[in-house]
């Protein structure tokens, strides 16, 4: 089959690899009908995340048609159309039973090695380094799905791939980010980063009762999409002076009740005092400008939600965090927990996730699309691949 394979920093190739096979009775094999390039994939493309091996198949936002089912899988049958969560979860361990699917104790075959870094193993992930199991990803013609009697959700016939594909990751991730922000009716929510997760976080915040959402980015297309959802926007590249002063002015000096940091390790500063301090101590790999700006921006007693990805240690404004009595909530998304309720929101017309798609390509176009997405060329916000 054809697949997009990682061969080093900035080196993605469309290659022929072995077709996947059933390895366990709970497995399923799907023929991929749609998959997507995620912002997290760009961290791999940029060489920020260790644990990749040459030839690894990329991708963790995938859906398709079931073409084979293991003997012990009674949930799925050949011909079912399913969306596959990026988290691989057994459904039986203590964490899965508590709905904390991304913390599954059993699904990562490299969990013992991962625990040396994290202290404990967590769930395996599709297409996301050998620390998370080395599972081949879904930017391919076919995908093996372990624990397929737990993860995938069947897609209703009346909904297109474009409407349901993002249930695999970014819609639940944006929703959980808003949920972690402890939004109450009348609250003001600040969102750093108007990429795909930020866009879903904005819409989720409004659905949860936020009165105002203020979104921060510098990419015009992303800012326009945030405004279309009802957010007020700040182009941080155009701010004269300190970004915090702009935030205070927009909130009459009170500040936001919660802040969602949807950027992570590749954030960029805007010449602020925070950035200048960090440049002297942080080096150039993980750049926590958005995280630290979130800590400064949040009102005392507020909540910071962090769906943005980090890998190692970063210098953090801990004095401000503790001094203001803030709460931080974060974590990989427990996708399986949100699949059914968010599918209902799509069916009821509360949201159509296809609003995000700007480019549709084939696998052969994948290497160029990675470069385009990373460089934010051609108005690129979200790339969907139809193998």
């Amino acid at each position: 089959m054809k697949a997009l394979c990682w061969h080093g920093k900035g080196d993605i190739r469309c290659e022929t690899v072995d077709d996947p096979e059933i390895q366990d009775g709970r497995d399923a094999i799907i023929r991929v009908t749609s998959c997507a390039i995620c912002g997290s994939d760009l961290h791999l493309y940029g060489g920020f995340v260790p644990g990749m091996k040459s030839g690894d198949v990329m991708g963790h936002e995938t859906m398709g048609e079931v073409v084979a089912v293991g003997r012990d899988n009674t949930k799925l049958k050949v011909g079912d159309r399913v969306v596959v969560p990026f988290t691989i979860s057994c459904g039986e361990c203590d964490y899965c039973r508590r709905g904390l699917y991304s913390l599954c104790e059993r699904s990562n075959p490299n969990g013992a090695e991962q625990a040396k870094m994290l202290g404990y193993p967590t769930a395996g992930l599709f297409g996301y380094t050998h620390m998370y199991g080395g599972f081949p990803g879904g930017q391919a013609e076919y995908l093996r799905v372990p624990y397929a009697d737990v993860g995938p959700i069947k897609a209703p016939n009346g909904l297109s791939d474009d409407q349901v594909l993002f249930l695999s990751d970014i819609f639940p991730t944006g929703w959980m980010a808003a949920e972690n922000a402890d939004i109450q009716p009348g609250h003001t929510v600040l969102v750093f980063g108007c990429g795909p997760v930020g866009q879903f976080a904005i819409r989720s915040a409004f659905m949860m009762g936020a009165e105002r959402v203020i979104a921060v980015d510098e990419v015009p297309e992303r800012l326009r999409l945030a405004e279309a959802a009802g957010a007020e926007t700040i182009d941080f590249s155009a701010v004269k002076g300190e970004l915090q002063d702009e935030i205070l002015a927009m909130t009459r000096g009170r500040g936001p009740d919660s802040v969602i940091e949807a950027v992570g390790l590749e954030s960029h500063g805007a010449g602020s005092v925070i950035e200048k301090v960090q440049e002297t101590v942080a080096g150039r790999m993980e750049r926590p400008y958005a995280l630290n700006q979130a800590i400064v921006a949040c009102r005392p007693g507020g909540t910071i939600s962090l769906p943005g990805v980090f890998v190692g240690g970063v210098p953090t404004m801990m004095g401000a965090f503790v001094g203001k009595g803030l709460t931080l909530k974060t974590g990989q998304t427990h996708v399986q927990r949100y699949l059914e309720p968010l599918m209902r929101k799509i069916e009821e017309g509360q949201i159509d996730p296809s609003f995000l798609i700007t480019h549709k390509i084939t696998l052969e176009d994948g290497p160029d699309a990675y470069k385009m997405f990373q460089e934010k060329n051609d108005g690129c916000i979200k790339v969907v691949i139809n193998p």
Side-chain angles (χ1 to χ4, degrees), residues 20-73:
E21 298 178 352
I22 296 289
Q23 298 179 24
D24 182 89
R26 298 172 67 181
D27 284 357
I29 306 293
I30 69 165
R31 178 182 63 81
V32 177
T33 56
S34 294
C35 54
I37 302 175
C38 181
S40 298
D41 292 326
L42 294 185
H43 300 326
L44 305 180
Y45 181 70
F48 289 98
V49 184
M52 294 294 288
K53 297 181 180 179
S54 185
D56 283 348
V57 179
M58 297 283 289
H60 58 269
E61 295 180 309
T62 313
M63 67 174 295
E65 179 184 343
V66 176
V67 295
V69 180
R71 64 182 180 278
D72 300 320
N73 189 331

Side-chain angles (χ1 to χ4, degrees), residues 172-185:
T173 297
W175 183 269
M176 183 169 138
E179 184 178 78
N180 281 346
D182 191 27
I183 297 168
Q184 305 297 321

Side-chain angles (χ1 to χ4, degrees), residues 142-384:
Y142 293 90
L143 175 69
R144 170 184 166 247
V145 183
Y147 299 108
D149 53 351
V150 175
I153 185 171
K154 296 178 185 178
N157 289 332
L159 296 177
S160 67
D161 278 21
D162 290 351
Q163 290 175 290
V164 299
L165 171 62
F166 301 143
L167 287 171
S168 60
D169 179 359
I170 52 174
F171 186 10
T173 297
W175 183 269
M176 183 169 138
E179 184 178 78
N180 281 346
D182 191 27
I183 297 168
Q184 305 297 321
H187 269 191
T188 295
V189 180
L190 180 68
V191 178
F192 278 100
C194 297
V197 169
Q199 297 291 341
F200 280 112
I202 290 166
R203 286 156 178 79
S204 298
F206 280 126
M207 284 191 276
M208 291 181 188
E211 181 175 314
R212 298 176 68 195
V213 176
I214 301 170
V216 182
D217 206 298
E218 66 171 344
V219 180
E221 295 84 5
R222 292 181 174 188
L223 291 168
R224 284 196 293 269
L225 205 55
E227 290 167 355
E232 303 161 59
T233 59
I234 299 174
D235 178 350
F236 73 79
S237 67
V239 171
K240 294 181 172 134
E242 291 291 316
L243 178 59
Q244 177 65 3
D245 292 337
E246 183 83 6
I247 293 167
L248 288 172
M250 292 182 71
T251 58
R252 297 182 180 178
R254 186 175 187 275
D257 299 284
S258 53
V259 181
I260 298 172
E261 200 278 73
V263 182
L265 62 86
E266 292 190 76
S267 65
H268 296 273
S272 67
V273 171
I274 291 172
E275 179 184 359
K276 290 169 185 173
V277 171
Q278 288 171 193
E279 286 290 347
T280 66
V281 297
R284 292 293 191 272
M285 186 172 178
E286 297 190 44
R287 303 187 292 265
Y289 306 139
L291 173 60
N292 282 321
Q293 193 71 62
I295 291 171
V296 171
C298 192
R299 68 157 172 82
T303 300
I304 295 174
S305 172
L306 176 62
V309 174
F310 286 94
V311 176
V314 294
T316 306
M317 304 284 287
M318 193 54 65
F321 184 85
V322 174
K324 293 197 293 181
L326 303 180
T327 297
L328 175 66
K329 296 182 180 179
T330 187
Q332 296 279 7
T333 309
H334 309 302
V335 179
Q336 290 88 335
R337 181 200 295 178
Y338 302 106
L339 289 175
E340 291 187 8
L342 295 186
M343 181 71 83
R344 284 196 296 272
K345 291 187 181 297
I346 298 172
E347 290 183 285
E348 294 167 0
Q350 295 185 49
I351 186 170
D352 182 350
S354 65
F355 76 88
L356 193 65
I357 301 169
T358 55
H359 293 73
K360 300 187 79 170
I361 64 168
T362 65
L363 283 171
E364 289 84 355
D365 299 321
D368 290 337
Y370 263 90
K371 188 173 187 295
M372 174 181 64
F373 189 22
Q374 184 191 51
E375 296 177 354
K376 301 178 180 64
N377 291 331
D378 195 32
C380 182
I381 296 176
K382 190 65 178 179
V383 178
V384 169

